[in-house]
Amino acid sequence: MTQTSNIETNRLVLRPFSESDAPDVFESCKNPNLGNNAGWKPLETIEETIDVLNTIFIGKEGVWAIVSKETKQVIGSIGIIP
């Protein structure tokens, strides 16, 4: 079962990922310095980004997109595992 409701603070929204997040995720994850410590190579295309979203983030229990209320952009992710 996946989460269906959002968690909100004054500045952020935690919500499930969707394929429409691909442009924001790609912009961050194409940076060669971002994922190196986690063993991730930089993302090279939007299509690759959608594949990563579907494999790792979309529909996964306890995995949330962190969205800035100010910019409406995905600025990160968090996994909460009980």
Side-chain angles (χ1 to χ4, degrees):
M1 172 185 270
T2 60
Q3 61 270 10
T4 56
S5 60
N6 297 343
I7 299 170
E8 294 194 32
T9 70
N10 291 335
R11 299 179 323 152
L12 302 172
V13 177
L14 302 180
R15 61 158 176 77
F17 275 94
S18 70
E19 284 190 5
S20 65
D21 295 323
D24 290 345
V25 173
F26 177 67
E27 280 305 310
S28 295
C29 294
K30 69 181 183 180
N31 178 338
N33 298 315
L34 184 68
N36 292 342
N37 291 333
W40 289 38
K41 72 173 188 70
L43 295 176
E44 297 177 3
T45 65
I46 288 289
E47 293 77 15
E48 180 182 22
T49 305
I50 291 169
D51 286 343
V52 167
L53 285 172
N54 281 312
T55 302
I56 299 173
F57 298 104
I58 295 173
K60 305 301 186 219
E61 182 69 28
V63 177
W64 304 84
I66 303 171
V67 180
S68 165
K69 282 186 172 179
E70 181 179 342
T71 65
K72 308 292 189 247
Q73 293 179 311
V74 174
I75 59 171
S77 67
I78 187 169
I80 303 170
I81 300 169

